């Protein structure tokens, strides 16, 4: 299981989140779509593998997790953002999700509102509100797969 899959599994395991966004927890650079609101879109901004001075790989990675909550309803933005933050805080002290061991998770930015995205479909306009949550994730992985 990759970190991407582990984060997805963690978020969709929260019934409070899926009650609002259903299965619309998406990984990658996904464009907003009216039919897909509200939604959670997340990305992992990975850093390079770390090695010691003698070249021995270190099994601890510290990528940035970017979670974007999108909706056309401000109440959904507030509620889902709060639920996502709480679900990430559960990982702060370490957790195992599938085969991934999360050693630490630190919220960097607990919620920054961004400019709205306007979707125009036929003569209808929808403003999509976005809030971004950033976290640094320390997790262990199998170094033998890198060597």
């Amino acid at each position: 299981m990759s970190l991407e899959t582990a984060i997805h599994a963690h978020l969709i395991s929260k019934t409070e989140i899926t009650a609002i966004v259903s299965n619309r927890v998406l990984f990658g650079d996904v464009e907003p779509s009216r039919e897909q609101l509200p939604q959670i879109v997340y990305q992992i901004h990975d850093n390079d593998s770390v090695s010691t001075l003698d070249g021995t790989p270190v099994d601890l990675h510290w990528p940035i997790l970017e979670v974007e909550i999108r909706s056309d309803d401000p109440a959904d933005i507030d509620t889902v953002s709060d639920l996502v933050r709480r679900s990430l805080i559960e990982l702060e002290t370490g957790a195992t999700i599938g085969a991934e061991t999360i050693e630490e998770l630190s919220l960097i930015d607990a919620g920054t509102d961004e400019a709205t995205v306007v979707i125009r479909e036929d003569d209808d306009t929808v403003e999509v509100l976005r809030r971004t949550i950033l976290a640094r994730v320390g997790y262990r992985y199998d170094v033998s797969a890198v060597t």
Side-chain angles (χ1 to χ4, degrees):
M1 176 181 284
S2 66
L3 180 62
E4 293 87 3
T5 307
I7 295 295
H8 184 268
H10 181 68
L11 291 173
I12 65 169
S13 73
K14 306 301 174 191
T15 56
E16 301 91 353
I17 292 174
T18 56
I20 299 169
V21 302
S22 185
N23 64 347
R24 295 181 301 271
V25 177
L26 311 168
F27 175 74
D29 188 15
V30 178
E31 290 295 319
S33 167
R34 180 182 191 157
E35 294 78 29
Q36 294 287 315
L37 296 176
Q39 66 181 198
I40 297 171
V41 177
Y42 68 100
Q43 297 183 54
I44 308 285
H45 302 286
D46 214 352
N47 56 357
D48 295 329
S49 297
V50 178
S51 299
T52 60
L53 290 175
D54 68 356
T56 306
V58 176
D59 69 344
L60 188 59
H61 241 85
W62 290 95
I64 300 291
L65 169 65
E66 178 182 344
V67 182
E68 188 173 276
I69 295 90
R70 300 173 178 168
S71 181
D72 55 354
D73 181 351
D76 285 344
I77 292 283
D78 291 338
T79 303
V80 176
S81 295
D82 185 53
L83 293 170
V84 168
R85 276 192 297 271
R86 282 193 274 156
S87 74
L88 293 176
I89 288 169
E90 290 176 8
L91 302 176
E92 282 184 330
T93 56
T96 299
I97 308 167
E100 298 299 328
T101 301
I102 308 295
E103 295 292 328
E104 181 179 335
L105 187 140
S106 302
L107 290 176
I108 299 169
D109 187 347
T112 301
D113 290 331
E114 298 181 6
T116 59
V117 175
V118 177
I119 301 174
R120 289 186 173 85
E121 297 173 355
D122 300 327
D123 288 321
D124 197 12
T125 300
V126 176
E127 288 189 352
V128 179
L129 308 170
R130 301 182 304 165
R131 181 169 295 155
T132 302
I133 298 169
L134 297 175
R136 182 168 295 281
V137 182
Y139 77 102
R140 298 206 178 270
Y141 64 99
D142 183 7
V143 291
S144 64
V146 185
T147 58

